[in-house]
Amino acid sequence: MLSNRLKVVSATALAPAVWGSTYLVTTEFLPPGRPLLAATVRALPAGLVLIALTRRLPQGDWWWRALVLGALNIGGFFALLFVAAYRLPGGVAATIGAIQPLLAAGLAALLLGERLTVRTAAAGVAGVAGIALLVLRADAHLDVTGVAAAAGGAVVMAAGVVLSKRWTSPAPLLATTGWQLTAGGLMLLPVALLVEGRPPVPTGANLAGYGYLAVIGTAVAYALWFRGIRALPPTKVAFLGLLSPMVATALGWLWLGQDLSAPQLVGGLVVLAALVAAQTAAPATARRTGTHPLLPPPPPLPLCKELTSMRITVFGANGNVGSRVVAEALSRGHEVTAVVRDPARAGALPPAATVRTGDARDADAVAELSAGQDLVISATRPAPGSEGELADATRALLAGLARTGVRLLLVGGAGSLTVPGGGGRTVVDDPALVPPSWRPIALACGEQLAVCRDETVVDWAYVSPPALLEPGRRTGGYRLGADELLVDDRGVSEISMEDLAVALLDEAEGPRHHRTRFTVGY
């Protein structure tokens, strides 16, 4: 699990690292005084090529969403960066831009329900301080317009990161990247012509520089960046942006012979410490604010309904857990697509749910039924005697979701949890918790979790219930854990199916677990 996540983080970090080379390439290979031309040439051709390769155009809401994201991530960001670069010394602009992770953390708390922790805030402040030590000069002057542009650039980039997470595209990653690059490039084109005039005839060095920025610095880098946003919490992705000024400083020292002082080295170490602190922060596992095992949860805030309403697909919707997930999601105002294999058994589902026929074991069906959705919750179980099919079924489910980029909450089993005080013994190996008749499905669920842990594209969370999961009443209270079975003061491990549904919808509305397993219980 750790190695898979590390691979995703490392691949995502390559994007800002490559962007750190932009200053070197611009000064050494491109014509001077043409930053908007460079921004347009790097974005528009790359976007059009990606669209041509994927042969996918936006559909429905994604026409305007692609325009908004293209303006935030590409067009607006590059334009504001251009103004800041011309009105401010580079160190001032980079220092102001370093507030972007803090802004992303705040927006993620507002729009995605992520909790802004003290650790994240401290890492954000440390990142700004480290960048200031790294690039800021004592004689730097301030310009109101430049400061506003630099701050605006940080705001639009933070908003672009968070909304890219909020709006999960039904199209392949490269197609979505192409849409945004094309939209941003088309916005920049008239501005570049108006401000900078007719472009000069490029030299061979110019073409090499433009080619590097378009292919490596844009098409490849932004694909890695958006892939990271799909797979990781947006705040963690935003912190990786601090690598850009670090790489720019290192290249200036190595390639251009620029001096590197002791304060700059200290600043670099501070930035690295902030990055490590942000990337290694554990997901919050506290109970929802205001809940108690004996009290119902507080009602949702009406003013936040527009922000929290989601489009959710539920596989296994007519099962014991799935039907309760459907009911809980509808009660919170979400749009639910309830997927069943046998339409004859769909009569008991609430009329407010949109019932579709499909099979979570069919990757094509999963892709079709998850396209345009915000989340998929799978609560399916194989028939007795077919437990060996569960791992392959999970691979098909993940393969379908990899095409659409939709987040997955997967209801699994408790067998792979460790027994409290058992010296590492797992639940499946404890006959008191798992009788022989339950052992096949418990072992199959362990294989299912292993399949998830090998997945490096889909943003998944695997939910292990406690030892005893039965129909009951909805209290709204529960505890969260990681890899150890939760037991109460009586030594009992249990939760009602109704409260498991509450926990699943809480995780859906405020994601805390990404590419990991968690457990719930009283």
Side-chain angles (χ1 to χ4, degrees), residues 23 84-97 131 135-137 140 245:
Y23 175 78
Y86 263 69
R87 308 279 302 206
L88 294 173
V92 175
T95 302
I96 296 174
I131 294 296
V135 298
L136 196 59
R137 298 293 177 265

Side-chain angles (χ1 to χ4, degrees), residues 324 328 470-475 496-503:
R324 288 163 172 82
E328 180 69 24
E470 294 182 335
R473 67 187 185 95
R474 182 191 189 280
T475 70
S496 69
M497 292 179 178
E498 288 75 9
D499 281 336
L500 176 61
V502 171

